[in-house]
Amino acid sequence: MYVAGVDVGSTATKAVVLNDGKLAGKHVMPTGTDHVKTASACLDAAVRAAGDLISRDLAYVVSTGYGRAMVDIADKTVTEITCHARGARAFVESAHVVVDIGGQDSKVIRLDEDGMVADFVMNDKCAAGTGRFLEVMAERLDVPLSDFGKMSRAARKRAMISSTCTVFAESEVISLLSHGVGREPIIRGLCDAVADRLVGMVHRVGLAPDVVMTGGVSQNDGVRLSLERKLALRVIVPSMSQYAGAYGAAVIAQESAAKGR
Ligand code: ADP
């Protein structure tokens, strides 16, 4: 039985197809402005990746994410908090705290023993502590985001970024560059600044191992390292971390389809 989860994020749309509970196909693409079209195109690409199957053969589709209500192909919509929790638990059985850093928001979710959402906090008011913050800085530094991990790791010291506001932090970066401060310590400082925001949120829900990072920014190893240092705890990044929401939605689709049978 084929089912799917579609996560329409503010920045990226992800789709996952499961066949009898096992990963069959996945796809990620920029969300753009037409959510309905993007969701459908992303799901089609994940279906194609799953093999020679057409969309109408899907037994159940669950949509999640910021644009979930606009997915006309979905049988059900579920919040991204629930889907990230389910996805993170499916990836890492011992997950108790999920740190999800997306393009324009970040969330920290605490899970109970059964993997259900016990508590969560969300930052969707301000770009600090989100992927957008790092994208702005990457542009300013003229360094691809994919290099942030290795450059943060290579930094012998870090530059202090004291502003939490993206606009002021950007001015700080410009000023540091003009004073001859290298890109590596600046990137380490930026990763620390993002981690600082998230650490505060983790303590609000309660720290409990294991901590799992999801969302696109989890692929930035510099942020993971900063978070690990500040929490003094291992932070696990599953290989499909950006797909956690879509994967969780697909797991729920699997359960819903099984119940309906
Ligand atoms: P959303 O669901 O909020 O749309 P995602 O969780 O898909 O967002 O994450 C999108 C963010 O992840 C973007 O800000 C993007 O810059 C960042 N991102 C994606 N891939 C990478 C990567 N390889 N390294 C660092 N950051 C990345």
Side-chain angles (χ1 to χ4, degrees):
M1 176 176 65
Y2 287 91
V3 297
V6 187
D7 176 6
V8 185
S10 57
T11 307
T13 294
K14 286 77 59 178
V16 165
V17 175
L18 299 181
N19 180 14
D20 293 336
K22 293 203 173 63
L23 178 69
K26 60 182 169 58
H27 193 72
V28 57
M29 61 195 284
T31 295
T33 49
D34 188 338
H35 295 59
V36 177
K37 208 166 144 191
T38 305
S40 162
C42 192
L43 180 57
D44 282 349
V47 162
R48 275 198 302 280
D52 213 4
L53 150 100
I54 49 168
S55 291
R56 66 174 177 272
D57 285 339
L58 292 168
Y60 210 94
V61 178
V62 169
S63 69
T64 187
Y66 145 94
R68 63 183 176 274
M70 285 176 252
V71 183
D72 52 8
I73 40 181
D75 298 290
K76 180 157 95 176
T77 63
V78 178
T79 69
E80 60 255 53
I81 303 286
T82 298
C83 289
H84 271 270
R86 296 299 303 274
R89 252 306 157 90
F91 293 156
V92 182
E93 249 178 74
S94 54
H96 280 95
V97 170
V98 182
V99 176
D100 166 38
I101 316 180
Q104 289 179 37
D105 65 18
S106 44
K107 312 168 195 77
V108 177
I109 309 162
R110 190 162 51 76
L111 307 182
D112 67 15
E113 286 310 314
D114 300 324
M116 295 298 135
V117 177
D119 197 5
F120 73 92
V121 284
M122 187 163 178
N123 159 37
D124 58 357
K125 301 277 180 291
C126 153
T130 72
R132 185 71 198 130
F133 174 86
L134 292 165
E135 283 172 22
V136 168
M137 303 309 164
E139 255 170 60
R140 183 53 68 192
L141 290 163
D142 200 19
V143 171
L145 266 176
S146 51
D147 286 354
F148 269 42
K150 71 168 186 259
M151 290 181 75
S152 180
R153 203 184 272 274
R156 289 216 195 93
K157 51 185 179 181
R158 68 166 179 164
M160 266 304 282
I161 311 287
S162 51
S163 306
T164 47
C165 165
T166 307
V167 178
F168 292 148
E170 190 181 9
S171 307
E172 273 190 69
V173 166
I174 294 166
S175 165
L176 288 165
L177 286 172
S178 71
H179 284 87
V181 178
R183 283 173 164 69
E184 288 171 354
I186 295 177
I187 288 172
R188 167 85 190 270
L190 290 167
C191 291
D192 276 1
V194 172
D196 275 335
R197 296 280 299 200
L198 273 301
V199 165
M201 291 164 69
V202 169
H203 288 302
R204 274 162 63 197
V205 300
L207 179 58
D210 278 323
V211 178
V212 173
M213 252 181 111
T214 63
V217 176
S218 62
Q219 296 170 101
N220 182 334
D221 203 43
V223 177
R224 182 190 65 79
L225 272 171
S226 294
L227 208 51
E228 269 191 351
R229 282 193 207 101
K230 287 170 191 293
L231 293 173
L233 208 71
R234 169 176 75 140
V235 173
I236 301 170
V237 179
S239 60
M240 280 178 59
S241 56
Q242 190 176 13
Y243 288 91
Y247 200 95
V251 169
I252 294 168
Q254 178 81 31
E255 290 168 358
S256 305
K259 269 188 213 148
R261 280 188 157 186

